[in-house]
Amino acid sequence: MKLAAKLEDLTKHYVLKSETVRALRGVSFDIPEGDYVAIMGPSGSGKSTLLNLLGCLDRPTSGAMYLGDANVATMNDNQLSYTRATRIGFVFQSYNLIQQLTVVENIEVPLYYQGRLNKRDRARCLELAEMVGLQDRLSHRPAQLSGGQQQRVAIARSLVNDPYFILADEPTGNLDTATADEILRLFENLNQLGKTIIMVTHEDEVSRHAKRIIRLRDGLIQTDERKENRTVLN
Amino acid sequence: MLWFRTWRLGIKSLLLHPMRTALTVLGIFIGVAGVISLLAIGEGISQEAQRQIEGLGADNIMVRSVKPLNLPEAAASSFILPYGLLREDYALLVETIPTIKSALPIREMRRMVRYADHTIEGRVVGCTPEYADVTRLYIERGHFISDADVKMSQNHCVLAAQVVERLFPYEDPLGRRVFLQEHKDYYTVVGICRDRPPTAAIGGSLDAQDFSNDVYIPISTMRKRIGDTVVMSSGGSREGETVELNQITLRIDSIDNVQKTAELVEQMLEKNHGKLKDTAVIVPLELLEQARRTKVMFMVIMGLIASVTLVVGGIGIMNIMLATVTERTREIGVRRALGARRSDIVRQFLVETIAMSVLGGLVGVGFGLLCPLAVDTARAIVKSVAPDLIAGLPEIMRDVTPIIVPLSIPFAFCISVLIGVMFGLYPAYRAAQMDPIEALRHE
Ligand SMILES: Nc1ncnc2c1ncn2[C@@H]1O[C@H](COP(=O)(O)OP(=O)(O)O)[C@@H](O)[C@H]1O
Ligand SMILES: [Mg+2]
C-alpha cells in the first residue's frame, strides 16, 4: 500500500537554559493513504510537537520523516514551505481564516503560495466551496460566517492543493456538539473519498470516528491500534 | 496575475484600517508636497533674481555715487554736501583701462515737470545716446537722445511711457515742449519710450528702480542748464548736494575681463575717494554668481528640511508596520503554514509600505503641483487680512511665483517609494523571521 507519510525514530528535543525537554523520544509509524488517524494523549505528551513535525512546520532533532520520497528532516526553510504548500492540508481549532479575504480567496491561498492560479484552479476552488456547502457564501468575509461555516471553508482550503494528508488540530474544539458532528461527518465523507486524515484530539467522542488511534505518553507511542467497530457517521 | 493579487491583498489590508493608513500616509505626503513646493518657491525666487541681475547685463560694471555716512568735518558744517563720482573719474577710467568698451555717465535728479496744466515729479536723467542700448530701453516713437543733441547741448528730452500718459492725456507729445519748473526751462520732446517694468533693489548699493517718471535729457545740457548742485527745501531747512555723476556704467569687452576690470576700477577710485567711501562698484556678474551659489545653498537646505520630514514620515510608517506585524502575527503564522516562504511574507508587508508611500507620494505630488496656486491664494488672503505683514516682506518674497521644477516630481516620488522600502524592510523582516509555530499560537 502506498504511504502518505512514514516516520522513523523521530525525536524532538527543546534545548532550554537549564534543561533539555525531550518532547518526542523516538516515534515511528506509517500512515497509509486513505487512513483516518486520531492522535491522543494527556497534556504534555507531545501531540502538538508531533503535529508540527507532520505539518512540516518544524524539523526533528533526529530521525526521518518521509512524505513520498522526500525526507523532511533534511529540508531547508523554503523547501519546507513548498512542501506545506503542495503536500499538506491544515485545519485548525480556531479555523484561522484570513480576515481580509473572501471565502473563495481563502480557499485559494495555498495555490497562491504554490505560484499558480489559473482558470482550472479557480473552478476547483468553486467546486470545493460547493462541496462543503458554501456555494452561496463565496464572497462573504470570515467575520460574516458562523464557526461551523468557517471550519468548512478551512476544510475546503485544506483540500485545494490535493495534499498527501489533512492535519486537523482539535478541529471541533471550538464548536457545539451539533456543528461538531457536521464537521466530523464531512471528514468521514472525505475519508471515504480516499483522503488521508490525521487529527489531534483529546475527546473520545471525536476519536471514535477514526479508523486508528495513536496514544502518546511522555514523548513515546503508548498504543497504536486499529479499531474494528468504529462509529461511522453518515 | 499573482503580483496583481499581492498588490490587491496589500491594499485590502490597508483598507481594513483606513484612518490608520491615512494618518501613516500623512507623513510621506507632507514630505513630498514639501519637497516639490519648497523647490518650486526656491526656483521662483532664484529665477526672478537671475532675471533682474541679467537685466543689468552680465558684461557691465556699474559705479555708483553713494551718499557717505561718515561726513568730513568741512562738509558736515556746510549745508551743501559734495560727494560722489567726478567727471574726472570718468575720464580717468575711460582713458586708462583698455578693457572698457564703452562708458556711460549718468546724472539723475528729481524735478517738477509740467505741460499745460499737468505737473509731475519726474526723475530727470542726464545721459548719452548709449544709455538706451545699455539699459535695454526701447523707443516707441521718435528717437532717443542723439550724439548731436549731446554735442550741441540741445534742450531735447525723451519721455517714459507713463510720463506721456500723465502729461499728454489728449495730445501727441512729439515736438511739444515740457517745462522744468525749478529752472524755468523748456525741453522739446523728441522721443517716447516703450513701457518698462521696474527693477528690484540688488545688493546694498543699487536701489530698486522705477522708470515710470523718467525724463531723459542730454547730459551736457543738464550740466550747462541745471548744474551739479541740487538744493531741496524741506520744511524751512534747506539741504543740498553737489554730485557730478550718479553712475558710470562700464561695458567691458569680454565677460572674462569683468572681474579684473572691476578690481582695477576699485583701485583707481580708491585714490580719489579713499577716505570718503562715496562710491560703490556693482558687478552684476558677481551678483549672478552669488545668486547661483545662494540657490544651490537654498536647495541643499530645503532638501535637508524635506528629507527630515520624509524620514519622520518613514519612521511613522515603520512604527505602524511594526504594530501591524505584531497585530497580524496569527495571520503570518497561518500564511506560513499554508506554504508562504519567508520571502513571500517580506513581499507582502513591503507591498503594504510601498503602497502607502506611493499613495502618500502621489497625493503629495498633487498637492505640490498646487503650490503656485496655494501661494497666490495665501498671498491674497494675507493681503486682505494683514496688509502690513505683506508690506514688511522683502520684495522678492512678496512677489514670488513658485516655478515647479519638473525633475522634483520624479525625484520626490522616488524618494517616497525608497523611504517606504527602507522603513518597511525591518518590519517585514521581523514578520518573516517569526517562528510559524509560535505565530500560530499567538492570540
Ligand atoms: N517550544 C517549546 N520549547 C520548550 N519546550 C516545549 C516547547 N514546545 C513544547 N515543549 C514541551 O514539550 C513537551 C510536549 O509538549 P506538547 O507537544 O505541546 O504536548 P501536548 O500538545 O501533548 O500537550 C512539553 O513538556 C512541553 O512543555
Ligand atoms: Mg498541545
Side-chain angles (χ1 to χ4, degrees):
Chain A
M1 185 180 275
K2 224 179 147 200
L3 294 183
K6 180 177 178 62
L7 283 63
E8 286 177 353
D9 200 20
L10 272 194
T11 70
K12 179 73 193 177
H13 298 174
Y14 294 108
V15 181
L16 305 180
K17 256 180 250 149
S18 51
E19 50 174 342
T20 300
V21 180
R22 307 208 292 168
L24 289 180
R25 301 192 288 161
V27 172
S28 308
F29 59 86
D30 295 345
I31 296 179
E33 267 186 5
D35 211 352
Y36 187 173
V37 187
I39 295 173
M40 301 192 70
S43 177
S45 58
K47 303 186 293 293
S48 300
T49 305
L50 179 57
L51 198 79
N52 290 338
L53 291 177
L54 282 167
C56 299
L57 289 165
D58 207 353
R59 270 174 297 235
T61 307
S62 70
M65 182 178 108
Y66 294 97
L67 298 186
D69 298 329
N71 183 0
V72 174
T74 61
M75 287 184 176
N76 66 25
D77 198 75
N78 279 349
Q79 291 169 323
L80 286 178
S81 294
Y82 185 73
T83 309
R84 293 195 295 269
T86 51
R87 303 279 182 254
I88 295 166
F90 282 95
V91 177
F92 301 94
Q93 176 172 0
S94 45
Y95 330 128
N96 278 341
L97 300 181
I98 293 167
Q99 297 303 317
Q100 303 92 297
L101 304 181
T102 63
V103 166
V104 215
E105 288 167 343
N106 263 290
I107 296 174
E108 288 166 356
V109 170
L111 298 181
Y112 170 76
Y113 287 122
Q114 281 179 34
R116 54 176 252 219
L117 249 183
N118 53 35
K119 264 204 188 110
R120 278 223 338 260
D121 295 326
R122 293 216 70 155
R124 183 166 155 69
C125 292
L126 295 180
E127 264 170 42
L128 287 170
E130 191 171 339
M131 191 192 84
V132 298
L134 285 169
Q135 62 276 24
D136 304 330
R137 301 278 150 84
L138 295 178
S139 45
H140 283 50
R141 302 279 156 126
Q144 299 166 305
L145 301 176
S146 70
Q149 287 170 326
Q150 290 192 51
Q151 198 61 301
R152 285 161 184 279
V153 179
I155 291 170
R157 179 178 69 183
S158 76
L159 291 166
V160 78
N161 54 357
D162 204 6
Y164 283 5
F165 50 82
I166 295 172
L167 269 185
D169 186 6
E170 303 269 11
T172 56
N174 284 8
L175 301 173
D176 60 68
T177 327
T179 322
D181 276 354
E182 274 175 39
I183 295 297
L184 288 172
R185 200 169 294 138
L186 191 52
F187 277 128
E188 180 66 43
N189 294 341
L190 291 174
N191 185 239
Q192 276 168 10
L193 290 172
K195 303 285 171 199
T196 313
I197 297 168
I198 305 171
M199 185 161 74
V200 168
T201 180
H202 61 269
E203 292 176 68
D204 293 326
E205 276 299 298
V206 176
S207 64
R208 255 173 344 130
H209 306 293
K211 290 176 177 167
R212 172 184 175 193
I213 296 182
I214 295 176
R215 285 181 199 279
L216 292 181
R217 182 164 210 112
D218 295 334
L220 288 171
I221 294 180
Q222 190 184 26
T223 60
D224 179 354
E225 50 193 4
R226 229 160 248 295
K227 285 189 291 182
E228 303 310 322
N229 53 342
R230 65 184 187 114
T231 317
V232 176
L233 286 161
N234 276 312
Chain B
M1 180 66 202
L2 289 177
W3 63 261
F4 171 72
R5 295 208 146 228
T6 312
W7 280 93
R8 203 177 60 172
L9 172 75
I11 287 161
K12 270 188 184 172
S13 304
L14 292 176
L15 289 181
L16 225 51
H17 304 282
M19 186 67 180
R20 180 199 285 187
T21 304
L23 287 175
T24 312
V25 161
L26 200 63
I28 294 291
F29 154 67
I30 291 173
V32 170
V35 171
I36 293 178
S37 40
L38 288 180
L39 289 182
I41 291 171
E43 183 69 14
I45 291 178
S46 94
Q47 278 197 17
E48 174 65 16
Q50 263 189 40
R51 195 184 60 74
Q52 287 179 353
I53 295 167
E54 272 162 6
L56 297 173
D59 55 351
N60 287 349
I61 295 174
M62 278 164 289
V63 189
R64 298 271 308 172
S65 293
V66 182
K67 202 169 193 165
L69 293 170
N70 48 340
L71 298 173
E73 292 289 308
S77 56
S78 92
F79 78 94
I80 289 182
L81 171 68
Y83 71 88
L85 294 163
L86 307 170
R87 278 179 280 273
E88 197 182 299
D89 297 325
Y90 173 78
L92 186 67
L93 291 176
V94 174
E95 275 161 29
T96 51
I97 303 181
T99 51
I100 294 175
K101 200 163 69 179
S102 63
L104 172 67
I106 301 166
R107 172 75 176 107
E108 315 152 349
M109 58 183 74
R110 303 226 147 250
R111 300 279 88 165
M112 300 309 285
V113 183
R114 204 182 80 196
Y115 178 76
D117 48 358
H118 298 285
T119 310
I120 59 160
E121 193 194 289
R123 184 172 78 149
V124 179
V125 180
C127 56
T128 56
E130 294 83 29
Y131 182 90
D133 186 30
V134 173
T135 61
R136 289 156 179 80
L137 193 83
Y138 298 100
I139 294 297
E140 185 78 40
R141 288 170 58 219
H143 61 81
F144 197 67
I145 305 295
S146 66
D147 281 326
D149 289 333
V150 176
K151 200 169 276 170
M152 300 165 70
S153 306
Q154 294 278 21
N155 273 28
H156 284 173
C157 71
V158 173
L159 303 182
Q162 288 93 330
V163 173
V164 172
E165 262 169 45
R166 287 157 68 193
L167 291 186
F168 298 92
Y170 310 115
E171 288 156 273
D172 179 3
L174 283 187
R176 313 235 174 228
R177 299 196 308 165
V178 296
F179 186 62
L180 275 202
Q181 206 140 297
E182 286 92 338
H183 306 284
K184 314 255 178 300
D185 209 359
Y186 288 97
Y187 289 80
T188 307
V189 179
V190 296
I192 300 166
C193 302
R194 198 179 292 172
D195 205 1
R196 182 183 185 196
T199 63
I202 290 163
S205 37
L206 189 58
D207 295 336
Q209 296 206 68
D210 173 14
F211 303 96
S212 60
N213 289 327
D214 281 5
V215 174
Y216 305 100
I217 64 174
I219 192 160
S220 52
T221 313
M222 182 176 252
R223 182 180 179 191
K224 241 180 225 158
R225 307 193 71 98
I226 299 178
D228 299 328
T229 306
V230 179
V231 179
M232 289 153 283
S233 38
S234 56
S237 80
R238 283 154 61 82
E239 238 180 78
E241 51 184 39
T242 300
V243 177
E244 292 189 9
L245 297 171
N246 289 87
Q247 179 173 330
I248 305 171
T249 301
L250 303 171
R251 187 163 260 197
I252 310 305
D253 56 0
S254 102
I255 284 201
D256 301 333
N257 289 331
V258 167
Q259 284 300 347
K260 268 183 284 170
T261 311
E263 280 162 30
L264 211 57
V265 168
E266 256 172 49
Q267 281 168 20
M268 295 187 70
L269 290 175
E270 185 91 47
K271 275 186 214 139
N272 279 344
H273 302 267
K275 275 194 220 124
L276 215 51
K277 292 202 184 336
D278 58 349
T279 60
V281 177
I282 300 153
V283 187
L285 184 69
E286 219 169 58
L287 294 172
L288 201 63
E289 268 156 21
Q290 196 180 324
R292 287 195 185 123
R293 278 197 299 275
T294 315
K295 177 182 173 179
V296 169
M297 214 169 71
F298 184 84
M299 294 290 189
V300 167
I301 291 172
M302 289 304 163
L304 281 179
I305 294 174
S307 5
V308 167
T309 331
L310 281 171
V311 166
V312 171
I315 291 172
I317 287 196
M318 180 152 96
N319 187 25
I320 286 295
M321 286 316 289
L322 282 174
T324 302
V325 164
T326 307
E327 187 185 273
R328 286 162 65 184
T329 300
R330 178 69 84 92
E331 180 193 328
I332 295 164
V334 174
R335 288 183 178 277
R336 293 281 277 135
L338 298 183
R341 288 163 300 178
R342 291 214 158 98
S343 53
D344 291 318
I345 300 294
V346 167
R347 188 177 316 123
Q348 180 187 343
F349 284 95
L350 262 192
V351 156
E352 283 186 33
T353 47
I354 292 173
M356 279 201 278
S357 36
V358 165
L359 179 69
L362 284 179
V363 180
V365 166
F367 274 75
L369 290 179
L370 289 180
C371 159
L373 201 72
V375 168
D376 279 350
T377 318
R379 184 159 42 216
I381 292 173
V382 176
K383 212 174 241 167
S384 67
V385 176
D388 305 345
L389 201 69
I390 281 274
L393 286 176
E395 182 160 10
I396 207 153
M397 287 178 72
R398 215 184 310 156
D399 304 334
V400 65
T401 319
I403 297 166
I404 302 286
V405 188
L407 217 60
S408 73
I409 295 167
F411 172 77
F413 186 77
C414 293
I415 293 269
S416 71
V417 175
L418 204 71
I419 291 268
V421 175
M422 266 170 45
F423 287 87
L425 266 177
Y426 177 65
Y429 171 80
R430 280 261 298 251
Q433 286 314 114
M434 280 181 185
D435 176 17
I437 299 168
E438 290 190 7
L440 275 170
R441 262 207 298 264
H442 193 266
E443 278 316 306

